[in-house]
Amino acid sequence: METSSARLRTPRAAGTAGIAFAVLLGAAIVLMRIAIPSADGADAAADPGDRWAVRTALEIVPFAGISFLWFMGALRAHAGEAEDRFVSTVFLGSGIVFVATLFVAAAAAGTVLQEGTDTVFGRHYAYVVLTTYAMRMAAVFVFATSTIGRRLGIFPRPLALLGYVTGLVLLVVGSGVPWSELILPAWALVVGLYIVRAGIR
């Protein structure tokens, strides 16, 4: 009875954490883009009047990372012993590296903002870590999640295809297109809502 109850709770936990991650990261990205709307954020300093947006975004990022880790853990627990060890290793590794690089980028941006030394190096460092490394690790995570979901029959074919398209965009587009980062929280929101709905049914 306890095992059955845990199985019922795991999809809901994964879905809820995915939704929370999507909302928090989406809010952080929107706030950052409000402050630095240009295509190449590394070469654009935040306007002094918009620094509140950057500060708020940096405060949100740790909670987004925590929600992502919960989302990842609940998904892995839901897969259980049926998971493919190779794909699950890529899934776990890319997820952890994504969170680590997300935190490093946020910490670097926070240091530049706090010290008041809005240097080109500091902006470039934070921006490159986020858009080049974090987003590409997120792409690998999306690929692995979609593969596991499809192989285990958790995700329907359209949802798996959406994941592959999302991963491809994150991998190829990178920082070249403004607001393209929002595709990651959008994917997490769709996955989270689907899991919650499927779990309740």
Side-chain angles (χ1 to χ4, degrees), residues 106-132:
T111 301
V112 170
L113 192 67
Q114 186 175 4
E115 294 296 328
T117 56
D118 199 3
T119 62
V120 173
F121 172 78
R123 292 198 306 270
H124 269 275
Y125 179 76
Y127 194 74
V128 168
V129 169
L130 177 64
T131 59
T132 302

Side-chain angles (χ1 to χ4, degrees), residues 18-28 60 185 189:
I19 293 170
F21 165 71
V23 171
L24 291 169
L25 184 63
I60 292 174
L189 181 62

Side-chain angles (χ1 to χ4, degrees), residues 6-86:
R7 287 178 179 175
L8 287 173
R9 287 195 302 267
T10 301
R12 294 178 185 177
T16 304
I19 293 170
F21 165 71
V23 171
L24 291 169
L25 184 63
I29 291 172
V30 169
L31 287 169
M32 289 294 291
R33 280 298 180 186
I34 288 173
I36 309 173
S38 65
D40 190 358
D43 293 327
D47 187 272
D50 292 329
R51 285 180 177 241
W52 66 268
V54 178
R55 290 191 182 93
T56 304
L58 295 178
E59 290 292 331
I60 292 174
V61 166
F63 297 100
I66 292 168
S67 298
F68 180 82
L69 289 174
W70 190 270
F71 173 58
M72 184 173 64
L75 280 176
R76 193 162 184 261
H78 185 51
E81 296 180 358
E83 67 179 0
D84 182 281
R85 289 184 180 275
F86 173 77

